[in-house]
Amino acid sequence: MKKIMFALVGLMLAFGASAAQFDDGKQYVTLPKPVAGEPQVLEFFSFFCPHCYQFERVYHVSDAVKKNLPADTKVTKYHVDFLGGDFGPVVTQAWAVAMALGVESKVTTTIFDGIQKTQTITDAASLKAAFIQAAGISSEDYDAAWNSFAVKALVAQQQKAASDLNLQGVPAIFVNGKYMVNNGGLDTSSMDNFVADYANVVKFLVEKK
């Protein structure tokens, strides 16, 4: 218990410390050509990506980023098609369903674990079954959303953003369509330091003029 408390105290101190000056080309990179109209904070991920699983389920980076930002800052998550073979686009559309129904937080853990941990999600049918159970919706609601114009538009939106931002890999976080966090330039001396550094870099970029 003491070790856990010390770890929590260390993490709070890391977040509470005044942010160091982060450098372009080190902790983040400025995109050669800014992309207008992108979400303020945009995270790309894939349910098939082992690093994304660690990012979300082990390090809880996404949660740390959200907690460290001003309350009015919106964080958007897009799924990518280029992992998972033919199943990748199916999962991207399911994520669009989650976005359209506002149930992203309810299904994230279930889909990650079903694909990477238990391997119980292997096709569209098992994905749908796991999704509706986690989200607490009916099969009819899922199908209606799946076939809706709104979901088709969200799928296209995710694909276009990945192309416009010249996304090379996941997990990746972009800010204001102008900056990308450089995962390799962050403090990896400990998990706590990495998470704190990530959250502070994103906050720095959100506030950057």
Side-chain angles (χ1 to χ4, degrees), residues 1-29:
M1 180 62 74
K2 286 184 178 179
K3 290 183 178 179
I4 294 173
M5 288 300 296
F6 283 135
L8 290 173
V9 169
L11 187 56
M12 286 188 289
L13 287 174
F15 281 113
S18 57
Q21 177 64 44
F22 297 115
D23 298 317
D24 194 355
K26 187 176 181 183
Q27 293 90 358
Y28 71 95
V29 293

Side-chain angles (χ1 to χ4, degrees), residues 31 34-44 65-66 69 72-79 95 99 104 153-154 156-165 172-181 202 205-207:
L31 303 184
V35 180
E38 295 298 338
Q40 187 173 14
V41 178
L42 175 57
E43 177 186 337
F44 287 99
V65 166
K66 290 175 185 175
L69 291 172
D72 60 347
T73 306
K74 180 174 174 56
V75 178
T76 303
K77 297 180 70 169
Y78 284 169
H79 193 266
W95 183 248
M99 294 174 68
E104 300 102 305
L154 282 169
Q157 188 173 307
Q158 293 175 91
Q159 294 167 338
K160 184 177 186 300
S163 175
D164 288 350
L165 290 165
I173 287 185
F174 292 81
V175 177
N176 291 326
K178 296 169 61 178
Y179 311 106
M180 182 185 73
V181 178
V202 175
L205 293 174
V206 166
E207 296 173 344

Side-chain angles (χ1 to χ4, degrees), residues 99-122:
M99 294 174 68
L101 297 179
V103 295
E104 300 102 305
S105 62
K106 293 183 179 180
V107 302
T108 297
T109 296
T110 296
I111 299 177
F112 258 129
D113 286 353
I115 288 177
Q116 293 202 40
K117 189 176 180 180
T118 62
Q119 286 83 53
T120 52
I121 295 177
T122 57

Side-chain angles (χ1 to χ4, degrees), residues 97 101 124-125 127-133 135-147:
V97 171
L101 297 179
L127 173 61
K128 174 183 174 180
F131 186 110
I132 62 177
Q133 182 176 7
I137 63 172
S138 67
S139 176
E140 291 76 17
D141 287 341
Y142 182 89
D143 290 340
W146 182 273
N147 294 307

